[in-house]
Amino acid sequence: MYNNTFGNIFRLTSFGESHGKAIGGVIDGFPAGIAIDMDFIQQELVRRRPGQSSITTARKEADEVEFLSGIYEGVSTGCPIGFVVWNTNQHSNDYDNMKDVFRPSHADFTYTQKYGIRDHRGGGRSSARETITRVVGGALAKLALKQLGIRITAFTSQVGTFKLDKDYTAYDLSTIENNPVRCPDQELAQQMADYIYKTKGEGDTIGGVISCVIQGCPIGLGQPVYGKLHAALGNAMLSINAVKGFEYGQGFGHMEMKGSQQNDIFYRDGDKIGFRTNRSGGIQGGISNGQDIYFRVAFKPVATVLMEQPTVDIHGNETILKARGRHDPCVLPRAVPIVEAMAAMTILDYYLLNKTTHL
């Protein structure tokens, strides 16, 4: 198995499986001299970890990160940053009845066909537990981006049919941590939570959408052909478990409008050039234009449902699967920090790449 590394200059290589001894990674290309706030990094992991509310998986993990290299006296040294998060609460026996059957819409079938072997315990490498490494890498990237005045905020904007009906600018995004769904509309968040809890009680799952806003991004990040910034963000988001779609700016919305209606008109803003609107989502020609970058990520319902479903076993015989184990009825609340992390690593990587544009 290869392609376990993300990034160009800022590079994260991850390792580990859901029910192995640990999940960990190595980060290369992280700038020297960045103050490392350990409490902030741990808090980012707390936002992602299981068992944080009644609408998430019941698996209990401390998810405490242990750094092995690359940090000295609280500051990054420029050397590779190695880290590990130990798994402490695996219930591998919960998956024994799935060992020889394929869970519908899961990676079981494709992994077995590709590699001839699979770790059935919690999905092995295909488990979303791998995203721990992304959150650690993203937290480090956020600390570097903070020095540049770049801020990244993701939030749940839709669960099933419950969705925000206004632009992100109409909400106070500082309130997303005030509810377990991480939605900036507190009343809608309660409706979302109730629906997730009801779905969980039925043994089923539900999907939705996470929106993300990047503020303070400088002009010039991204390349005009194969290194477009929105393509890099799309690649990052589509690498997250259960993601089925990505759109930035207006995306698929308002496609009935003509070009004269959609164009972001320039104007003179004092000694600068400004924009009347931001339908482009902060990226034009694959390059950031200095406005807010905003995008949406669609997550499918979790494939493992706790109800009987028809399937086949490894020999092709039709059978019935009743899954066991501890699973999220909806990944969105825990995926919010993962979306932020992938965005942060992408922006930092492309900021560093942009430094190679001029001597």
Side-chain angles (χ1 to χ4, degrees):
M1 185 182 293
Y2 63 100
N3 278 351
N4 293 289
T5 298
F6 174 83
N8 298 282
I9 294 179
F10 175 94
R11 293 166 62 85
L12 166 67
T13 300
S14 70
F15 64 85
E17 297 85 37
S18 177
H19 286 231
K21 287 188 175 182
I23 298 288
V26 176
I27 295 171
D28 204 1
F30 190 75
I34 304 296
I36 305 302
D37 185 338
M38 294 296 185
D39 290 337
F40 172 76
I41 295 172
Q42 190 58 52
Q43 182 56 39
E44 291 294 276
L45 284 170
V46 168
R47 295 174 70 210
R48 192 225 70 97
R49 75 180 177 190
Q52 57 185 273
S53 75
S54 62
I55 58 173
T56 63
T57 173
R59 180 171 177 170
K60 296 291 185 181
E61 293 280 2
D63 284 354
E64 294 180 354
V65 62
E66 179 181 346
F67 285 99
L68 308 175
S69 62
I71 299 172
Y72 179 66
E73 294 185 341
V75 177
S76 61
T77 65
C79 298
I81 298 177
F83 64 90
V84 67
V85 176
W86 301 102
N87 293 329
T88 61
N89 191 233
Q90 310 97 312
H91 289 181
S92 298
N93 292 338
D94 287 345
Y95 297 87
D96 286 349
N97 69 320
M98 306 182 203
K99 183 177 182 180
D100 296 324
V101 298
F102 297 131
R103 287 171 291 178
S105 290
H106 212 285
D108 301 342
F109 173 74
T110 51
Y111 265 57
T112 303
Q113 295 299 308
K114 181 176 178 64
Y115 299 107
I117 186 173
R118 89 172 199 260
D119 182 351
H120 69 284
R121 304 166 305 165
R125 185 69 175 154
S126 70
S127 169
R129 188 149 179 77
E130 180 272 341
T131 59
I132 288 174
T133 62
R134 303 167 186 240
V135 173
V136 174
L140 288 166
K142 282 183 177 182
L143 291 173
L145 294 175
K146 183 178 180 181
Q147 295 192 185
L148 302 172
I150 300 172
R151 184 171 67 257
I152 298 171
T153 307
F155 56 93
T156 299
S157 55
Q158 180 174 350
V159 172
T161 59
F162 298 92
K163 58 184 177 180
L164 297 174
D165 58 2
K166 299 182 183 69
D167 183 78
Y168 74 90
T169 57
Y171 300 98
D172 182 357
L173 301 187
S174 68
T175 66
I176 64 171
E177 295 298 325
N178 293 351
N179 60 78
V181 185
R182 298 196 164 96
C183 173
D185 183 320
Q186 303 304 312
E187 183 177 343
L188 181 63
Q190 185 59 58
Q191 296 175 21
M192 289 175 170
D194 291 343
Y195 184 57
I196 295 171
Y197 189 77
K198 178 177 180 293
T199 302
K200 178 182 179 180
E202 296 167 348
D204 215 335
T205 60
I206 190 65
V209 176
I210 289 176
S211 297
C212 186
V213 184
I214 304 172
Q215 297 171 303
C217 187
I219 300 171
L221 304 194
Q223 308 298 325
V225 184
Y226 298 116
K228 290 179 170 65
L229 182 58
H230 58 267
L233 287 168
N235 174 69
M237 299 307 145
L238 289 164
S239 74
I240 301 172
N241 308 60
V243 169
K244 297 299 257 184
F246 170 85
E247 64 173 4
Y248 77 102
Q250 281 199 327
F252 291 104
H254 305 292
M255 286 299 102
E256 72 281 1
M257 295 171 64
K258 296 179 180 179
S260 58
Q261 297 170 306
Q262 288 217 13
N263 285 346
D264 293 318
I265 303 300
F266 295 106
Y267 74 99
R268 185 179 184 87
D269 183 14
D271 59 351
K272 300 182 298 182
I273 294 175
F275 298 85
R276 297 291 183 191
T277 55
N278 186 18
R279 298 187 182 99
S280 299
I283 302 172
Q284 294 172 330
I287 301 171
S288 60
N289 66 6
Q291 291 188 285
D292 288 354
I293 296 171
Y294 64 93
F295 58 85
R296 292 161 295 281
V297 186
F299 285 78
K300 72 172 184 176
V302 175
T304 304
V305 298
L306 302 182
M307 57 173 59
E308 290 188 353
Q309 282 196 302
T311 187
V312 297
D313 62 21
I314 58 176
H315 306 293
N317 300 313
E318 293 186 355
T319 184
I320 298 295
L321 171 66
K322 176 65 182 298
R324 297 195 300 266
R326 299 161 297 175
H327 307 278
D328 284 289
C330 178
V331 300
L332 297 168
R334 295 176 59 210
V336 165
I338 300 168
V339 168
E340 291 180 357
M342 296 307 295
M345 289 192 290
T346 300
I347 295 299
L348 178 58
D349 187 35
Y350 270 61
Y351 180 87
L352 296 172
L353 279 170
N354 198 50
K355 288 293 191 180
T356 68
T357 302
H358 302 284
L359 290 176

